[in-house]
Amino acid sequence: MAAPALFRHPASLEHDTGRGHPERVERIVAVEAALAARDWLGFDVRASPAATRDQLTAVHDAGYVLGIDERSAAGGGRLDADTVLGEGSFAAARHAAGGVVALVDDLLGRPEGELRV
């Protein structure tokens, strides 16, 4: 039996929410360091592909996706009291979503990136 997949991408380290926000890069670094120290617990570690616009808009309004992209490209800012974007947040989100799609495809034995809505 093949090892289960674990998808990750360095873009996740570019999601900078600013000082003091609980969602921060140090959490990712700590989790990945703990996993690496345990040989990734036997997971087959793979790079998360970036989700396509079609994949993102299958679950989010196209205007919302565009707004996140534009806000991130402009340097970031607050979406609401809890949600903060940085310049790299959209790329991080695309790779996080793409990793989910790739993991589901992997679990179902489908070719990676095949969109089914």
Side-chain angles (χ1 to χ4, degrees), residues 7-81:
F7 289 88
R8 61 184 292 274
H9 196 277
S12 64
L13 302 177
E14 301 303 318
H15 174 55
D16 183 3
T17 56
R19 189 171 174 200
H21 194 281
E23 183 181 321
R24 58 187 185 275
V25 170
E26 291 83 6
R27 291 177 11 166
I28 296 168
V29 171
V31 168
E32 289 190 350
L35 288 170
R38 291 163 184 81
D39 197 26
W40 295 92
L41 300 177
F43 284 101
D44 175 15
V45 181
R46 303 180 198 170
S48 295
T52 65
R53 292 259 177 198
D54 286 344
Q55 290 169 328
L56 294 173
T57 58
V59 294
H60 294 290
D61 179 78
Y64 178 76
V65 173
L66 180 61
I68 299 295
D69 186 7
E70 290 176 345
R71 174 83 53 96
S72 185
R78 286 196 172 276
L79 291 183
D80 57 43

Side-chain angles (χ1 to χ4, degrees), residues 5 7 44 46-52 55 95 98-116:
F7 289 88
D44 175 15
R46 303 180 198 170
S48 295
T52 65
Q55 290 169 328
H95 284 281
V100 171
V101 172
L103 178 61
V104 170
D105 285 345
D106 187 65
L107 291 171
L108 296 176
R110 297 195 304 225
E112 188 174 301
E114 184 178 316
L115 176 65
R116 296 183 187 197

